[in-house]
Amino acid sequence: MMLVLNSCSDPTTFTVKGNIEGEGTQNMRAVYYDDGGINLLIVPVDNGKFEFEANLNAPTLIEFFSANKILMGRAYVEPGDDIKCNLYNNAPYKAQIKGNDVSERWSKFLNDNIEITASENSDKINSLIVDYINKNNADVLSTILLITEYHTPENNEEASKLLLAIAPEARPHDLIESYEALLDRSFNIKASEKLTMISHYSSTDSLKTFVPNESSYTIITFSNKDTRNDGELADSLRMLRKSYHGKRLQVIDMSLDEDTTIWKKSVKNDSATWRQGWIVGTVSSPSIERLGVSRLPFYIVADSTGKQIYRGGSIENAISMVNERLKTHRKQL
């Protein structure tokens, strides 16, 4: 039923059953760390339903991804657990997980605070996590929220202090080690990848190619109809296009919609002054799969060599990085 890439000896098993809202028949991916290695499970989905059993020796976190490698949710799991999931494509904070007290409280926390947790506002999210940790420093959920939700790129020192503020019994080594391993695999490696040529279709259905060396810097967004329908993304890209000469900054929005009809309909009112394109195969396209686009919208800022200097889900942070690098070249508007 599934492909287990890393196996363990003499393990205890756990089971997962669930459904994915709006999905038919496809494969999903489940990734977890155990016994010193990353385990990848390829799980069939039939009419939105799935079920699998796997090996486990110690408590860990398991992540669920769609066939297009978009995060759908996470669960805390212990040997012997029977986990039940209700997952949603492109909406990991709506996931409902049952099977143990920690996972149930975790999914309830994310659901109850979804306006913040799904907002991509790092300041609000961090404040929410800090508040929970300060009130629940003997709760393992504090550790889970810190390592999965707290935005650390500019807050490493604060994150370290918060971790030490959690009671030792609530921050087990196995749990921290498991997530660090997942990050090493899914973030650090992909962050070191360079932007290279990306083939895409234009609004006139002609095949185009993006290359980073045509400008000093590039901001490239990956979006779909659901993440660009409020006009905020278009407003941000329009402002950037006005602020910098094309030789200084390329501004690109790459669509990961399922087909060009959906894409063209969702952008027809944009009056775009920036490059727009549609990528065949969405996140599984060979030209972007290695970049690890884990959610939508997703932003990458890169220099002329293709080196990534920002990657993440915050348009505000991406714009700040552009402004920092090009502050002496900003137009007076």
Side-chain angles (χ1 to χ4, degrees), residues 150-161:
Y150 189 81
H151 289 233
T152 59
E154 300 169 2
N155 303 282
N156 287 323
E157 184 176 349
E158 180 65 19
S160 298
K161 291 179 180 178

Side-chain angles (χ1 to χ4, degrees), residues 72 74 91-95 107 110-111 114 117-118 120 149 295:
M72 295 187 292
R74 298 184 177 103
Y93 300 107
K94 289 177 64 177
S107 63
L110 297 178
N111 293 167
I114 196 165
T117 54
E120 303 296 347
E149 302 300 332
R295 64 179 72 179

Side-chain angles (χ1 to χ4, degrees), residues 89-116:
N89 255 324
N90 292 319
Y93 300 107
K94 289 177 64 177
Q96 298 166 340
I97 313 291
K98 296 183 178 180
N100 60 57
D101 173 69
V102 175
S103 279
E104 290 173 14
R105 290 191 294 112
W106 185 8
S107 63
K108 184 178 187 303
F109 178 88
L110 297 178
N111 293 167
D112 289 349
N113 296 282
I114 196 165
E115 288 188 5
I116 295 177

Side-chain angles (χ1 to χ4, degrees), residues 135-324:
K135 295 176 180 176
N136 304 275
N137 70 341
D139 184 356
V140 70
L141 182 54
S142 290
T143 298
I144 292 172
L145 291 172
L146 178 63
I147 63 180
T148 59
E149 302 300 332
Y150 189 81
H151 289 233
T152 59
E154 300 169 2
N155 303 282
N156 287 323
E157 184 176 349
E158 180 65 19
S160 298
K161 291 179 180 178
L162 286 169
L163 185 60
L164 292 175
I166 300 172
E169 64 273 17
R171 47 179 166 93
H173 173 73
D174 285 339
L175 189 62
I176 295 172
E177 181 183 55
S178 71
Y179 202 70
E180 286 178 344
L182 290 176
L183 288 179
D184 284 342
R185 180 177 185 272
S186 64
F187 180 82
N188 294 335
I189 292 175
K190 290 178 173 61
S192 66
E193 290 281 354
K194 286 192 172 186
L195 278 182
T196 54
M197 292 192 306
I198 298 179
S199 297
H200 61 279
Y201 282 93
S202 70
S203 58
T204 59
D205 294 326
S206 57
L207 188 62
K208 303 288 186 179
T209 302
F210 155 76
V211 288
N213 63 8
E214 291 182 353
S215 61
S216 302
Y217 292 92
T218 297
I219 179 169
I220 183 168
T221 76
F222 298 95
S223 64
N224 62 6
K225 67 178 180 63
D226 295 325
T227 53
R228 70 173 84 91
N229 62 4
D230 61 359
E232 181 182 356
L233 176 59
D235 290 343
S236 297
L237 299 184
R238 184 174 293 106
M239 181 273 293
L240 281 171
R241 182 67 287 145
K242 289 180 179 178
S243 299
Y244 298 101
H245 190 279
K247 288 296 182 181
R248 295 295 180 185
L249 179 70
Q250 292 188 79
V251 181
I252 304 169
D253 179 30
M254 292 294 187
S255 165
L256 298 184
D257 288 303
E258 294 177 2
D259 59 55
T260 55
T261 303
I262 295 174
W263 166 53
K264 289 178 182 178
K265 184 177 180 180
S266 71
V267 300
K268 67 179 181 180
N269 296 322
D270 281 352
S271 301
T273 55
W274 57 95
R275 183 189 295 194
Q276 294 177 306
W278 176 76
I279 298 176
V280 179
T282 67
V283 293
S284 296
S285 169
S287 61
I288 67 167
E289 181 180 15
R290 59 191 174 73
L291 296 175
V293 177
S294 58
R295 64 179 72 179
L296 297 178
F298 195 81
Y299 310 95
I300 293 177
V301 178
D303 65 17
S304 61
T305 70
K307 179 182 178 182
Q308 297 183 59
I309 56 176
Y310 173 81
R311 53 181 283 121
S314 169
I315 185 63
E316 291 85 3
N317 289 346
I319 291 173
S320 293
M321 180 59 69
V322 169
N323 290 338
E324 177 185 326

